[in-house]
Amino acid sequence: MDTTKTEERTDDTKADEAKAATGTTEADGASEAAGAEGKKPSGAAADADADEQHGADEAGGEETADADAAPAATATGSVASGAGSVVAAGLGLASLTGTWAGTVLAERQTLLGQIKLQTGKATDQIGTVYGAPWHTHALVNAIFALLAVVVAGLVLLRPRPTWVRAVAWGGLALGVLGLIVSAGMYFDLFASMPTLPKAGAGTPGS
Protein backbone atom coordinates (compact mmCIF):
# COMPACT_ATOMS: atom_id res chain seq x y z
CA MET A 1 0.00 0.00 0.00
CA ASP A 2 2.79 2.44 0.89
CA THR A 3 4.63 1.70 -2.30
CA THR A 4 1.55 2.45 -4.36
CA LYS A 5 0.96 5.77 -2.55
CA THR A 6 4.58 6.75 -3.06
CA GLU A 7 4.33 6.12 -6.78
CA GLU A 8 1.10 8.13 -6.98
CA ARG A 9 2.78 11.06 -5.17
CA THR A 10 5.71 10.87 -7.54
CA ASP A 11 3.38 10.98 -10.53
CA ASP A 12 1.54 13.97 -9.05
CA THR A 13 4.86 15.79 -8.47
CA LYS A 14 5.94 15.22 -12.05
CA ALA A 15 2.59 16.46 -13.33
CA ASP A 16 2.90 19.61 -11.22
CA GLU A 17 6.42 20.24 -12.53
CA ALA A 18 5.25 19.80 -16.12
CA LYS A 19 2.38 22.22 -15.56
CA ALA A 20 4.73 24.74 -13.99
CA ALA A 21 7.13 24.49 -16.92
CA THR A 22 4.30 24.85 -19.40
CA GLY A 23 2.94 27.87 -17.56
CA THR A 24 6.37 29.53 -17.58
CA THR A 25 6.71 28.96 -21.32
CA GLU A 26 3.27 30.37 -22.01
CA ALA A 27 4.04 33.42 -19.85
CA ASP A 28 7.31 34.02 -21.72
CA GLY A 29 5.50 33.73 -25.05
CA ALA A 30 2.84 36.19 -23.91
CA SER A 31 5.52 38.62 -22.73
CA GLU A 32 7.35 38.42 -26.05
CA ALA A 33 4.10 38.96 -27.98
CA ALA A 34 3.25 41.96 -25.82
CA GLY A 35 6.74 43.39 -26.40
CA ALA A 36 6.39 42.95 -30.17
CA GLU A 37 3.03 44.64 -30.11
CA GLY A 38 4.48 47.50 -28.05
CA LYS A 39 7.24 47.99 -30.60
CA LYS A 40 4.76 48.34 -33.47
CA PRO A 41 3.58 51.96 -33.97
CA SER A 42 -0.02 52.71 -33.27
CA GLY A 43 -2.41 53.74 -36.07
CA ALA A 44 -2.36 57.45 -35.15
CA ALA A 45 1.44 57.51 -34.99
CA ALA A 46 1.69 55.81 -38.38
CA ASP A 47 -0.74 58.31 -39.90
CA ALA A 48 1.26 61.21 -38.42
CA ASP A 49 4.49 59.83 -39.88
CA ALA A 50 2.83 59.42 -43.27
CA ASP A 51 1.53 63.01 -43.16
CA GLU A 52 4.97 64.33 -42.24
CA GLN A 53 6.57 62.42 -45.10
CA HIS A 54 3.90 63.67 -47.53
CA GLY A 55 4.44 67.25 -46.35
CA ALA A 56 8.18 66.89 -46.77
CA ASP A 57 7.69 65.56 -50.31
CA GLU A 58 5.39 68.48 -51.16
CA ALA A 59 7.88 70.99 -49.73
CA GLY A 60 10.66 69.41 -51.74
CA GLY A 61 8.53 69.58 -54.89
CA GLU A 62 7.75 73.27 -54.30
CA GLU A 63 11.44 74.07 -53.74
CA THR A 64 12.33 72.26 -56.95
CA ALA A 65 9.64 74.17 -58.86
CA ASP A 66 10.89 77.49 -57.46
CA ALA A 67 14.46 76.58 -58.36
CA ASP A 68 13.38 75.79 -61.93
CA ALA A 69 11.28 78.97 -62.21
CA ALA A 70 14.09 81.26 -61.01
CA PRO A 71 16.51 80.47 -63.92
CA ALA A 72 13.64 80.77 -66.41
CA ALA A 73 12.69 84.22 -65.10
CA THR A 74 16.35 85.29 -65.13
CA ALA A 75 16.76 84.13 -68.72
CA THR A 76 13.62 85.98 -69.81
CA GLY A 77 14.80 89.18 -68.11
CA SER A 78 18.22 88.89 -69.75
CA VAL A 79 16.68 88.46 -73.20
CA ALA A 80 14.35 91.44 -72.72
CA SER A 81 17.11 93.71 -71.41
CA GLY A 82 19.44 92.64 -74.22
CA ALA A 83 16.79 93.38 -76.83
CA GLY A 84 16.12 96.76 -75.24
CA SER A 85 19.78 97.72 -75.32
CA VAL A 86 20.06 96.78 -79.01
CA VAL A 87 16.91 98.77 -79.82
CA ALA A 88 18.31 101.80 -77.98
CA ALA A 89 21.55 101.59 -79.95
CA GLY A 90 19.64 101.28 -83.24
CA LEU A 91 17.43 104.28 -82.44
CA GLY A 92 20.46 106.36 -81.49
CA LEU A 93 22.23 105.47 -84.73
CA ALA A 94 19.11 106.26 -86.76
CA SER A 95 18.84 109.69 -85.15
CA LEU A 96 22.29 110.54 -86.52
CA THR A 97 22.10 108.98 -89.99
CA GLY A 98 18.46 109.85 -90.71
CA THR A 99 15.43 107.65 -91.26
CA TRP A 100 13.05 106.81 -94.05
CA ALA A 101 10.24 108.51 -92.15
CA GLY A 102 12.25 111.72 -91.87
CA THR A 103 13.05 111.69 -95.59
CA VAL A 104 9.42 111.14 -96.60
CA LEU A 105 8.12 113.87 -94.31
CA ALA A 106 10.77 116.31 -95.56
CA GLU A 107 9.79 115.64 -99.18
CA ARG A 108 6.13 116.09 -98.30
CA GLN A 109 6.94 119.42 -96.67
CA THR A 110 8.84 120.47 -99.81
CA LEU A 111 5.83 119.67 -101.96
CA LEU A 112 3.53 121.63 -99.66
CA GLY A 113 5.91 124.60 -99.84
CA GLN A 114 5.85 124.56 -103.62
CA ILE A 115 2.07 124.48 -103.62
CA LYS A 116 1.95 127.45 -101.27
CA LEU A 117 4.31 129.42 -103.51
CA GLN A 118 2.28 128.69 -106.62
CA THR A 119 -0.96 129.68 -104.95
CA GLY A 120 0.53 132.82 -103.48
CA LYS A 121 0.07 131.71 -99.87
CA ALA A 122 3.79 132.06 -99.13
CA THR A 123 6.29 134.73 -100.07
CA ASP A 124 9.49 133.35 -98.53
CA GLN A 125 10.62 130.91 -101.19
CA ILE A 126 13.75 129.68 -99.41
CA GLY A 127 12.11 129.28 -96.02
CA THR A 128 9.10 127.48 -97.50
CA VAL A 129 10.87 125.12 -99.90
CA TYR A 130 14.16 124.56 -98.06
CA GLY A 131 13.85 125.64 -94.43
CA ALA A 132 10.61 123.84 -93.54
CA PRO A 133 11.70 120.42 -94.90
CA TRP A 134 15.08 120.80 -93.19
CA HIS A 135 13.46 121.53 -89.84
CA THR A 136 11.00 118.65 -90.30
CA HIS A 137 13.88 116.24 -90.88
CA ALA A 138 15.63 117.54 -87.76
CA LEU A 139 12.47 117.13 -85.69
CA VAL A 140 12.03 113.49 -86.74
CA ASN A 141 15.67 112.75 -85.90
CA ALA A 142 15.19 114.35 -82.49
CA ILE A 143 12.21 112.07 -81.78
CA PHE A 144 14.29 108.97 -82.56
CA ALA A 145 17.12 110.29 -80.39
CA LEU A 146 14.75 110.88 -77.49
CA LEU A 147 13.37 107.35 -77.81
CA ALA A 148 16.92 105.99 -77.73
CA VAL A 149 17.66 107.86 -74.51
CA VAL A 150 14.45 106.67 -72.86
CA VAL A 151 14.91 102.98 -73.80
CA ALA A 152 18.57 102.97 -72.77
CA GLY A 153 17.69 104.64 -69.47
CA LEU A 154 15.07 101.98 -68.72
CA VAL A 155 17.57 99.21 -69.40
CA LEU A 156 20.18 100.80 -67.15
CA LEU A 157 17.80 101.23 -64.20
CA ARG A 158 18.52 97.69 -62.93
CA PRO A 159 21.64 95.54 -62.76
CA ARG A 160 22.23 93.88 -66.11
CA PRO A 161 24.92 91.67 -67.67
CA THR A 162 28.05 93.46 -68.76
CA TRP A 163 27.41 93.25 -72.50
CA VAL A 164 23.84 94.53 -72.06
CA ARG A 165 25.01 97.54 -70.08
CA ALA A 166 27.74 98.25 -72.64
CA VAL A 167 25.29 98.27 -75.56
CA ALA A 168 22.78 100.33 -73.55
CA TRP A 169 25.45 102.92 -72.71
CA GLY A 170 26.33 103.07 -76.40
CA GLY A 171 22.68 103.64 -77.30
CA LEU A 172 22.42 106.34 -74.64
CA ALA A 173 25.50 108.13 -75.97
CA LEU A 174 24.20 107.98 -79.55
CA GLY A 175 20.82 109.27 -78.42
CA VAL A 176 22.31 112.24 -76.61
CA LEU A 177 24.52 113.03 -79.60
CA GLY A 178 21.49 112.73 -81.89
CA LEU A 179 19.58 115.22 -79.74
CA ILE A 180 22.47 117.71 -79.98
CA VAL A 181 22.75 117.38 -83.75
CA SER A 182 18.99 117.62 -84.24
CA ALA A 183 18.81 120.75 -82.12
CA GLY A 184 21.62 122.31 -84.16
CA MET A 185 19.78 121.49 -87.39
CA TYR A 186 16.44 122.78 -86.17
CA PHE A 187 17.79 126.09 -84.85
CA ASP A 188 20.23 126.57 -87.76
CA LEU A 189 23.25 126.52 -85.46
CA PHE A 190 25.56 124.70 -87.87
CA ALA A 191 24.67 126.75 -90.94
CA SER A 192 22.46 129.79 -91.43
CA MET A 193 19.48 129.78 -93.74
CA PRO A 194 20.31 130.93 -97.31
CA THR A 195 19.06 134.39 -98.25
CA LEU A 196 18.11 135.94 -101.57
CA PRO A 197 20.04 139.00 -102.76
CA LYS A 198 18.26 142.27 -102.26
CA ALA A 199 16.31 143.53 -105.23
CA GLY A 200 17.68 146.56 -107.06
CA ALA A 201 21.31 146.00 -106.09
CA GLY A 202 23.72 147.41 -108.63
CA THR A 203 25.72 145.13 -110.87
CA PRO A 204 29.50 145.31 -111.07
CA GLY A 205 30.82 147.81 -113.67
CA SER A 206 27.60 149.80 -113.86
Side-chain angles (χ1 to χ4, degrees), residues 14-203:
K14 290 181 178 180
D16 293 337
E17 291 177 355
K19 288 180 179 180
T22 304
T24 303
T25 304
E26 291 177 355
D28 293 340
S31 299
E32 292 177 357
E37 290 180 357
K39 291 180 180 179
K40 292 182 179 180
S42 62
D47 293 340
D49 294 339
D51 292 339
E52 290 179 358
Q53 182 66 28
H54 183 66
D57 294 339
E58 289 183 350
E62 290 177 357
E63 290 179 356
T64 303
D66 293 340
D68 294 338
T74 303
T76 303
S78 299
V79 171
S81 61
S85 64
V86 173
V87 169
L91 291 172
L93 183 62
S95 67
L96 290 173
T97 59
T99 61
W100 173 82
T103 302
V104 171
L105 290 176
E107 291 178 353
R108 180 178 182 276
Q109 193 64 35
T110 300
L111 180 59
L112 291 176
Q114 292 176 353
I115 294 173
K116 288 179 180 180
L117 287 176
Q118 292 177 359
T119 57
K121 293 181 179 180
T123 56
D124 187 359
Q125 182 178 356
I126 294 177
T128 303
V129 178
Y130 174 78
W134 178 261
H135 294 161
T136 301
H137 205 295
L139 185 61
V140 173
N141 290 348
I143 292 174
F144 276 83
L146 183 60
L147 289 175
V149 172
V150 171
V151 174
L154 291 176
V155 173
L156 295 172
L157 283 177
R158 296 182 180 180
R160 305 294 184 186
T162 303
W163 72 270
V164 173
R165 294 183 65 83
V167 176
W169 277 113
L172 182 62
L174 290 174
V176 173
L177 186 59
L179 284 174
I180 295 173
V181 173
S182 299
M185 291 174 59
Y186 190 83
F187 294 105
D188 300 326
L189 299 178
F190 302 128
S192 59
M193 188 71 63
T195 56
L196 291 173
K198 294 180 179 180
T203 59

